[in-house]
Amino acid sequence: MRFCIACSSGPPPQPVKLAYVSSTYAIDNGPAAYGNPSPYGYVTPWGTPGAETIVLERSTADELGPAALGELELCITSYGAVVRYPVFAQSRWDLVILDEAQAIKNPTSKAAQITASLNANHRLCLTGTPIENHLGELWSQMSFLVPGLLGEQRRFTRVFRTPVEKQGDQERRTLLTRRIRPFLLRRT
């Protein structure tokens, strides 16, 4: 498995460290996976021709440390690489974006636990399916996005999940919707 780390050849006006975690398919296929092939390789930060792109294979990833990541403006990786290489959790990020965030819907999975531990000033989840089976999946994604907003998992289950899913409690459903609404942006 490979992952891509990219940075521009010159610093932006305000340095930003961004971690973008995506599916292996998108990483392996680069921008072409989204129908937007780039003449500059996998990533062209800020559309800068000649931007430096570093692609690390499994054999070289262990050589990378937090200091090296600290010099990057953009890091694109897969959930698998974040789980496999501790350097991601040891680094500090300005912004972490989880693409296909339903990948962390199981809060006991390594991907959910490690992404939740990432040290980031700002967080963003992108998903088309925040809930596929039950409200516990929403809790897991929201606990990454806004830690503590929905409380501990056990309390969330008692206060929201069970009343909404098993008892059809519309009042609790409305309360939950109001609580998370400021953090949701939906396509219409």
Side-chain angles (χ1 to χ4, degrees):
M1 174 181 182
R2 64 184 179 185
F3 59 98
C4 174
I5 298 177
C7 63
S8 74
S9 54
Q14 292 185 341
V16 173
K17 276 181 50 185
L18 169 79
Y20 182 88
V21 184
S22 185
S23 67
T24 302
Y25 174 79
I27 301 305
D28 287 344
N29 293 292
Y34 299 103
N36 183 19
S38 167
Y40 305 112
Y42 282 87
V43 178
T44 308
W46 304 284
T48 308
E52 181 183 358
T53 301
I54 305 165
V55 178
L56 297 177
E57 301 294 335
R58 180 179 289 185
S59 61
T60 59
D62 293 330
E63 298 170 13
L64 186 67
L69 284 181
E71 296 175 8
L72 298 172
E73 288 121 23
L74 176 66
C75 175
I76 298 180
T77 189
S78 67
Y79 288 96
V82 169
V83 169
R84 187 175 297 111
Y85 304 114
V87 67
F88 292 105
Q90 296 166 355
S91 299
R92 176 134 183 93
W93 305 100
D94 285 330
L95 172 64
V96 173
I97 301 172
L98 298 186
D99 190 22
E100 301 296 339
Q102 68 272 14
I104 64 163
K105 68 183 181 180
N106 177 354
T108 62
S109 71
K110 286 186 179 185
Q113 292 173 356
I114 292 175
T115 55
S117 75
L118 293 175
N119 189 353
N121 294 331
H122 307 285
R123 297 164 178 246
L124 181 65
C125 289
L126 305 175
T127 182
T129 53
I131 304 172
E132 293 178 304
N133 301 305
H134 54 79
L135 288 175
E137 297 171 354
L138 176 67
W139 179 89
S140 185
Q141 292 170 67
M142 292 303 290
S143 69
F144 164 80
L145 186 62
V146 187
L149 178 73
L150 298 178
E152 295 295 322
Q153 185 179 14
R154 189 174 290 167
R155 182 179 183 279
F156 175 80
T157 298
R158 182 175 41 82
V159 172
F160 292 110
R161 185 174 171 188
T162 300
V164 171
E165 291 178 357
K166 296 189 177 176
Q167 300 159 0
D169 189 329
Q170 289 301 313
E171 186 177 322
R172 294 288 172 107
R173 181 181 178 156
T174 301
L175 180 61
L176 176 60
T177 301
R178 283 187 195 143
R179 187 168 289 176
I180 66 172
R181 183 172 286 137
F183 303 99
L184 300 179
L185 178 62
R186 296 185 62 171
R187 274 187 307 206
T188 56

